[in-house]
Amino acid sequence: MQSTEALPKRSYILYILFILLSSLLILIDYFSNKELSSYFPNSVNFEFELENSDFTFIQRFNTLFEQRAQLVSENIRLEQEIQDLRSLEIVNKELQLQLESYEEISTVSNIQNFELLSSGFITRNLNLEYLIYGGTNQQLEVGDLVINEKGFVVGYLREVFYSYSILESPYSSDFNLEVMDKYNNTYLITSNGSEMFISSILLDNYKDDIDFLYTDISFNHSGKFPVVDTRLINFEYQNNQINASVKFLDSFTFNTKLFIPKFK
Amino acid sequence: MIFFRNIFRSIYFVIILFFETLINFLIGLDWIVICPFFLLIYFVSTKRFDNQNIIPLVISGLSYDVFLSENYLGVYSILFLLVAIISNYIQKRFQSTNYQEVISFTFGFLIYNTINLLEANFISFFIPSLIINYLIYFLYQRTLGTRV
């Protein structure tokens, strides 16, 4: 029993000896700078004298390999082309989405006079201050108006950094914006974070059909953009003074498209 | 007689080894290799383990190192001898289990491909190659079985 168990282990000995012998060969080859392993390939000449017919046969064989190589390279080229087309398709979709976002704002009057810098929300803090894309790298300045895709003002830039800015929106209690109606009456819009308050500053020519309150270049704004639709707001008119409070109907989402208009 | 037998067996081993290189070149797939030479080593080391296989294995390894690889002379000889020893050892060690052949085949094939181990796509090439080679070995054994 013991002899049958021992037999396979003993039979490995010769294998191990040859492994050691091969290791020795590796060492010799290593120290001879591969002279040993390159001796045969250098001394044996694989070029034979060939008959014309043999050559034709080999040539055909070579052609077969060449065709295969061509097919492989063509396949690689086509694969690359497909990848390029796929990436183009993605770019195309992104551009279509961007185009759609511009479609609505393009209906706003006089918008062609402005260069629209596209932006978007990055994050917001607990004080409902929003961080948006774009900063001094896009020549943005403090006080620049920010409008949504319908052309309504959603706030202004309170602080501008290199590539991002802080948006002061009506959801912040520090929000205040001077606006004007179409009869040049001026108003101040403030906010407590949950409601917006509109109070008149100067009423020269007040009428009921003011419709919208706009920003104006006379307040150092970049242009005339609607801020509030007053048609659904009940104004209290007392002592040549108008006051109103507006509850926020919709809040921002991170998908809301933002534009910063710059006069051309 | 032993000398001629060794010479004949060496030539036969070298032809199969070169055939393996040729067939893999013609198939030209990165994710699969067919290894008739490995099957041969595995077969002789598990079914016909003998010291007479040493010289053919060493000569095959040396000829591969000389003509087909960039390694130092003797690397493939060691590899082939190791595959033979380890396949045989595992086969004997796991004799009591049902999957002794699969285990020894897998280990043997892993050692046979040790030189490719550092390649990034090793796993994706190892597993299909292992399956296809085991399938060939299995079919070969079946045909051998019916002949007997």
Side-chain angles (χ1 to χ4, degrees):
Chain A
M1 188 67 187
Q2 273 180 346
S3 62
T4 50
E5 284 291 314
L7 189 65
K9 281 180 188 170
R10 246 186 295 157
S11 63
Y12 293 149
I13 290 172
L14 209 55
Y15 275 82
I16 291 163
L17 278 175
F18 270 87
I19 288 174
L20 292 174
L21 189 74
S22 302
S23 313
L24 199 67
L25 275 177
I26 294 175
L27 275 176
I28 294 167
D29 199 28
Y30 176 74
F31 286 111
S32 68
N33 204 16
K34 281 200 168 185
E35 266 188 34
L36 202 62
S37 56
S38 57
Y39 175 75
F40 276 103
N42 290 341
S43 55
V44 178
N45 188 7
F46 288 100
E47 290 174 12
F48 303 105
E49 291 285 326
L50 292 168
E51 292 282 322
N52 215 8
S53 57
D54 291 341
F55 188 69
T56 322
F57 174 73
I58 289 175
Q59 226 173 12
R60 277 186 200 156
F61 199 64
N62 278 344
T63 319
L64 198 70
F65 277 110
E66 272 172 22
Q67 281 174 345
R68 186 181 173 279
Q70 278 169 0
L71 279 173
V72 169
S73 62
E74 179 68 9
N75 200 17
I76 291 166
R77 194 187 65 77
L78 287 171
E79 207 175 342
Q80 187 62 43
E81 207 165 294
I82 287 169
Q83 279 177 356
D84 289 348
L85 283 171
R86 281 193 185 144
S87 59
L88 274 176
E89 192 187 355
I90 292 165
V91 172
N92 188 24
K93 275 184 185 165
E94 281 172 3
L95 283 173
Q96 266 180 347
L97 284 173
Q98 209 171 348
L99 201 67
E100 278 168 21
S101 71
Y102 275 100
E103 264 171 17
E104 210 165 357
I105 199 163
S106 64
T107 56
V108 177
S109 63
N110 295 331
I111 202 75
Q112 62 276 12
N113 297 331
F114 293 89
E115 186 190 350
L116 296 171
L117 301 171
S118 184
S119 182
F121 290 110
I122 301 170
T123 185
R124 75 169 186 202
N125 62 13
L126 292 171
N127 299 328
L128 294 172
E129 288 168 342
Y130 291 84
L131 209 62
I132 62 168
Y133 292 107
T136 50
N137 60 340
Q138 290 179 299
Q139 283 80 47
L140 301 186
E141 290 164 12
V142 173
D144 279 349
L145 295 173
V146 181
I147 60 174
N148 63 13
E149 55 202 352
K150 291 174 184 168
F152 275 76
V153 174
V154 293
Y156 53 87
L157 299 182
R158 197 190 74 197
E159 278 182 74
V160 180
F161 301 95
Y162 179 71
S163 59
Y164 59 92
S165 306
I166 295 175
L167 170 70
E168 191 78 83
S169 73
Y171 299 102
S172 160
S173 52
D174 293 333
F175 180 84
N176 70 80
L177 188 68
E178 282 182 283
V179 289
M180 189 180 271
D181 65 18
K182 60 185 176 186
Y183 301 113
N184 293 336
N185 300 308
T186 54
Y187 304 83
L188 180 69
I189 301 177
T190 53
S191 170
N192 66 357
S194 56
E195 270 185 311
M196 217 158 56
F197 302 104
I198 303 167
S199 49
S200 62
I201 299 170
L202 188 64
L203 290 179
D204 286 335
N205 185 20
Y206 179 72
K207 287 179 185 173
D208 288 337
D209 58 338
I210 54 175
D211 296 344
F212 292 99
L213 295 177
Y214 298 94
T215 56
D216 197 84
I217 50 170
S218 59
F219 305 123
N220 286 330
H221 297 150
S222 49
K224 191 171 182 176
F225 295 98
V227 182
V228 188
D229 184 352
T230 55
R231 287 173 293 190
L232 299 171
I233 297 173
N234 292 320
F235 284 102
E236 289 173 19
Y237 185 80
Q238 283 178 345
N239 304 329
N240 202 29
Q241 179 79 22
I242 285 178
N243 288 304
S245 63
V246 185
K247 283 201 183 293
F248 299 130
L249 291 175
D250 49 352
S251 60
F252 301 139
T253 66
F254 279 83
N255 293 325
T256 307
K257 304 254 174 357
L258 298 179
F259 300 94
I260 299 154
K262 285 283 197 182
F263 196 76
K264 283 179 186 173
Chain B
M1 189 64 189
I2 293 170
F3 174 76
F4 283 110
R5 197 165 48 196
N6 273 338
I7 292 287
F8 171 73
R9 206 177 272 191
S10 302
I11 293 169
Y12 161 57
F13 272 47
V14 169
I15 288 170
I16 292 185
L17 179 60
F18 281 31
F19 172 71
E20 176 180 308
T21 313
L22 179 71
I23 202 169
N24 286 317
F25 170 70
L26 291 175
I27 291 169
L29 294 174
D30 290 337
W31 53 277
I32 208 157
V33 283
I34 293 168
C35 304
F37 187 69
F38 167 71
L39 299 181
L40 179 72
I41 302 177
Y42 184 74
F43 184 78
V44 295
S45 58
T46 52
K47 308 287 182 201
R48 315 250 164 94
F49 190 74
D50 195 349
N51 284 343
Q52 287 180 0
N53 296 323
I54 296 174
I55 298 290
L57 286 174
V58 170
I59 289 177
S60 310
L62 291 179
S63 50
Y64 193 85
D65 282 327
V66 166
F67 295 111
L68 295 171
S69 86
E70 294 285 308
N71 294 319
Y72 291 106
L73 194 69
V75 171
Y76 273 92
S77 303
I78 294 174
L79 188 80
F80 297 155
L81 290 170
L82 277 176
V83 170
I85 294 173
I86 288 167
S87 302
N88 182 270
Y89 180 74
I90 293 171
Q91 173 94 3
K92 291 218 179 310
R93 186 82 203 270
F94 292 93
Q95 220 159 17
S96 55
T97 59
N98 292 330
Y99 303 107
Q100 46 147 331
E101 199 170 74
V102 181
I103 296 167
S104 62
F105 192 90
T106 309
F107 269 93
F109 196 64
L110 185 69
I111 293 155
Y112 189 74
N113 288 295
T114 318
I115 288 173
N116 305 321
L117 201 67
L118 292 177
E119 283 182 19
N121 58 348
F122 178 74
I123 300 289
S124 60
F125 123 89
F126 179 74
I127 291 166
S129 304
L130 176 70
I131 292 166
I132 202 96
N133 282 295
Y134 187 72
L135 197 70
I136 294 168
Y137 180 71
F138 181 74
L139 291 173
Y140 174 71
Q141 268 201 317
R142 287 288 291 267
T143 41
L144 203 70
T146 50
R147 203 188 297 162
V148 169

